[in-house]
Amino acid sequence: QVQLVESGGGLVQAGGSLTLSCAASGSVFRTNVLGWYRQAPGNQRELVAVISSGGSTNYADSVRGRFTISRDNVKNTVTLQMNSLKPEDTAVYYCVAKRWMGRDPEYWGQGTQVTVSS
């Protein structure tokens, strides 16, 4: 079992920055991949960025070059640095964990709201 706790959401003006953090606890072997999905009103949940314990990353095309994901394998935490935020980035952001890159998330956090105003 894995527990995921997010922090760092908030309200920011377009062009600004926010940093999201997530602390994972529980079975380490189930957290080979950590990262973030998001869901905006009326939309499906979509991948934002994920990172493996070895440092491999996968970003959504819409955030590549603006967002940076990183992790601390000792603390089992993952961080998403979001720069040049746009109103379309407004969504609930969910920390996720899974065993394998390319698979659907197996564990979800409660979510944290990110709102970008124009």
Side-chain angles (χ1 to χ4, degrees):
Q1 294 299 111
V2 174
Q3 296 79 47
L4 303 168
V5 180
E6 306 103 328
S7 63
L11 174 65
V12 66
Q13 289 283 323
S17 298
L18 282 174
T19 301
L20 304 182
S21 297
C22 175
S25 60
S27 300
V28 176
F29 75 94
R30 296 187 182 273
T31 60
N32 290 324
V33 180
L34 294 172
W36 301 87
Y37 279 58
R38 68 186 181 186
Q39 185 170 27
N43 292 349
Q44 294 183 319
R45 291 188 184 185
E46 63 177 357
L47 181 147
V48 179
V50 293
I51 184 168
S52 73
S53 60
S56 297
T57 59
N58 187 24
Y59 291 93
D61 289 342
S62 60
V63 308
R64 188 174 293 110
R66 299 188 297 121
F67 293 7
T68 302
I69 191 168
S70 60
R71 68 183 289 166
D72 184 327
N73 288 330
V74 175
K75 297 181 179 180
N76 218 20
T77 58
V78 61
T79 299
L80 185 69
Q81 177 65 50
M82 305 186 294
N83 298 323
S84 301
L85 283 161
K86 304 174 181 179
E88 51 262 45
D89 294 317
T90 296
V92 177
Y93 285 69
Y94 296 90
C95 184
V96 301
K98 52 189 175 181
R99 289 172 291 174
W100 309 109
M101 189 76 77
R103 284 197 170 190
D104 291 337
E106 299 174 48
Y107 301 95
W108 296 79
Q110 290 296 302
T112 185
Q113 178 70 46
V114 172
T115 302
V116 183
S117 62
S118 60

